[in-house]
Amino acid sequence: MHEIKEYLDTGITPQLAESIAVLCCRCFLDSKRTVEERVKEMLEAIGSAAPEHVTGRRFVIWQGEQVIAHARTFVREIIVEDQRLPVLALAAVCSDPEIRGKGLGVRVTQKAFQQVATDAWPEVSLFQTPVPGFYQKLNSRLVTNRFVNRRNVDDPEANPWRDDQIMIYPSEFAWPEGTVDLNG
């Protein structure tokens, strides 16, 4: 069985960044970001004091020199009806399209979710997905709040999500009602 390795965002090497970027570009075909743009973004996180980079973690499964499964987490503070709520953001969950169905995506997602409600980590994870059934099997559920990003200077009231399905983990978390400002 392939081992899951955990990396801090601030400790990403150029080799790791490129391998993750290649996998993400193979999996997220609707994204306009190139391998080079993704690598640059990851490497700029090194030494960054931005909260999402300081708390950022990547969960990776390697096969030889290539990443074949990946999930990223970071802490973000959102605002729900003027109340601040820290959440563990889940992003870029993917596995090599040529070997899907072997549980690698499940494994990196479960490893990422293990952070929830441990030590100084938030009690809930928030994320978007085009495949809610995958996450429902992992004890996640859909939420139907209105989402905005008031830091978006062009259109702060616009829906900031790319995907239509927004979910939380764990499903039993008492998720608040009202408009959610992603705050970044």
Side-chain angles (χ1 to χ4, degrees):
M1 183 173 290
H2 296 93
E3 176 186 2
I4 299 173
K5 295 194 176 194
E6 180 178 340
Y7 299 90
L8 300 176
D9 268 4
T10 54
I12 289 183
T13 65
Q15 177 195 10
L16 175 58
E18 183 172 349
S19 193
I20 290 170
V22 167
L23 177 65
C24 288
C25 284
R26 290 186 64 218
C27 294
F28 304 119
L29 300 176
D30 60 341
S31 174
K32 294 177 176 43
R33 292 167 48 211
T34 66
V35 169
E36 293 77 17
E37 290 168 332
R38 289 175 182 273
V39 168
K40 181 180 178 196
E41 179 184 294
M42 283 184 264
L43 294 178
E44 285 176 352
I46 297 171
S48 171
E52 66 270 15
H53 295 304
V54 172
T55 62
R57 304 272 188 282
R58 294 183 185 264
F59 301 90
V60 169
I61 297 176
W62 290 91
Q63 182 170 296
E65 303 266 327
Q66 191 61 40
V67 170
I68 58 171
H70 172 265
R72 179 177 185 236
T73 62
F74 57 93
V75 176
R76 166 171 279 166
E77 187 176 71
I78 63 172
I79 302 168
V80 185
E81 301 298 323
D82 297 323
Q83 298 293 314
R84 294 186 176 277
L85 175 66
V87 296
L88 183 73
L90 177 69
V93 175
C94 56
S95 62
D96 188 317
E98 293 183 18
I99 56 173
R100 283 204 181 121
K102 299 188 184 302
L104 301 176
V106 168
R107 290 183 54 223
V108 292
T109 302
Q110 287 173 327
K111 186 72 170 174
F113 282 160
Q114 285 177 1
Q115 295 174 94
V116 172
T118 59
D119 299 327
W121 295 100
E123 296 180 40
V124 64
S125 180
L126 175 68
F127 55 97
Q128 64 181 327
T129 182
V131 289
F134 172 85
Y135 294 98
Q136 287 168 330
K137 293 176 186 175
L138 300 175
N139 191 32
S140 298
R141 72 175 164 93
L142 291 164
V143 295
T144 58
N145 305 66
R146 177 174 173 258
F147 287 87
V148 299
N149 179 4
R150 299 213 169 101
R151 289 190 182 190
N152 176 348
V153 294
D154 295 328
D155 191 357
E157 296 299 316
N159 180 0
W161 298 107
R162 179 183 62 246
D163 295 314
D164 293 333
Q165 295 86 17
I166 312 306
M167 302 189 83
I168 62 165
Y169 169 89
S171 63
E172 61 273 7
F173 182 80
W175 184 255
E177 293 183 16
T179 299
V180 177
D181 180 355
L182 285 186
N183 192 33

